Amino acid sequence: MGTSEIKTIETLDALREHLGHPAERTRGKIIPFIDQHARTLIEHSPFYLLATASSDGTCDVSPRGDPAGSVKVLDDNTLVLADRPGNKLLDSQTNIIENPHAGLLFLVPGMNETLRINGRAKLVADAPFFDELVVKGKRPALAILIEVEELYMHCAKAFLRSSLWKPDTWPERSSLPTAGQIFRDQMKLDVTAEALDAALTEGALTTQY
């Protein structure tokens, strides 16, 4: 297919003409605070995605995981995320300094609906609530404070279409390349995939916190 055959949409008016407008009920589900239902889902979520963007609009989405209950709701408009040790590329953190707008998507295992939160992020080096962010005896060096501006439940369609929580639809892990194979080939490393896999597994198990 040539690029001349691709029909793009480049204006808001064209987008709305193509896909229409949301129902009033859909608009009504967006709230500017953390209600009790949202608190419950956050408390039970062990995994979420953090979306940020740099000052020039370059986007990044970072997966974040901790024992359920590790994300703390400070009040009806504020929550805090522990920033656990990572690869030190600091993509999310750099973006937050340049552009405080951030998005969160909370998942609860087995639940097809997700919780979406948009707001403004701040990096926090220390605060009294750091004591509540300790996991396995480790205190985070940094936390991310989110001031909630929009919050709403996202419907189940994506999870129903993908059958994400149905193990019988999952591919056999052996049919996919290992992380060691991927890194070796992408980085053109002169080391075996097995050695890389062993090192990655050891690192992941010993440097979580």
Side-chain angles (χ1 to χ4, degrees):
M1 176 186 292
T3 55
S4 61
E5 301 176 64
I6 299 175
K7 181 180 179 181
T8 61
I9 294 176
E10 299 179 2
T11 68
L12 295 177
D13 287 342
L15 176 62
R16 286 300 179 188
E17 183 178 351
H18 193 70
L19 294 180
H21 294 266
E24 193 59 36
R25 183 174 61 182
T26 301
R27 293 183 187 276
K29 72 179 182 179
I30 302 173
I31 59 176
F33 60 92
I34 306 169
D35 71 343
Q36 186 54 53
H37 295 304
R39 284 175 179 261
T40 298
L41 295 181
I42 292 169
E43 290 170 0
H44 286 81
S45 173
F47 181 85
Y48 61 93
L49 300 168
L50 171 65
T52 58
S54 66
S55 57
D56 66 5
T58 302
C59 296
D60 181 78
V61 177
S62 174
R64 305 285 175 129
D66 253 337
S70 296
V71 174
K72 303 301 181 183
V73 176
L74 301 184
D75 56 46
D76 289 350
N77 298 100
T78 316
L79 55 83
V80 63
L81 326 163
D83 190 48
R84 305 300 181 190
N87 55 23
K88 297 194 183 299
L89 290 175
L90 305 182
D91 296 311
S92 301
Q93 298 88 338
T94 300
N95 286 348
I96 289 169
I97 288 175
E98 293 186 4
N99 173 8
H101 297 285
L104 294 164
L105 181 70
F106 286 95
L107 282 71
V108 177
M111 183 174 181
N112 289 323
E113 295 79 13
T114 52
L115 178 67
R116 293 177 62 165
I117 294 177
N118 297 318
R120 300 177 71 85
K122 295 178 182 178
L123 302 182
V124 182
D126 197 14
F129 55 69
F130 270 51
D131 291 339
E132 300 179 55
L133 303 178
V134 173
V135 173
K136 295 185 177 180
K138 299 290 186 177
R139 183 184 178 92
L142 192 72
I144 300 173
L145 195 75
I146 303 290
E147 297 174 354
V148 176
E149 296 177 327
E150 294 183 326
L151 179 152
Y152 61 98
M153 290 294 296
H154 195 92
C155 75
K157 291 178 183 176
F159 283 75
L160 294 175
R161 287 190 291 250
S162 65
S163 299
L164 185 66
W165 302 126
K166 295 182 179 179
D168 59 319
T169 68
W170 298 349
E172 290 291 335
R173 182 63 184 90
S174 59
S175 70
L176 303 173
T178 67
Q181 290 172 318
I182 294 171
F183 289 155
R184 181 197 61 190
D185 294 343
Q186 290 180 341
M187 301 171 67
K188 304 186 186 320
L189 300 175
D190 185 21
V191 63
T192 67
E194 291 77 13
L196 283 172
D197 282 324
L200 290 167
T201 298
E202 177 68 15
L205 290 175
T206 58
T207 61
Q208 292 180 31
Y209 296 98

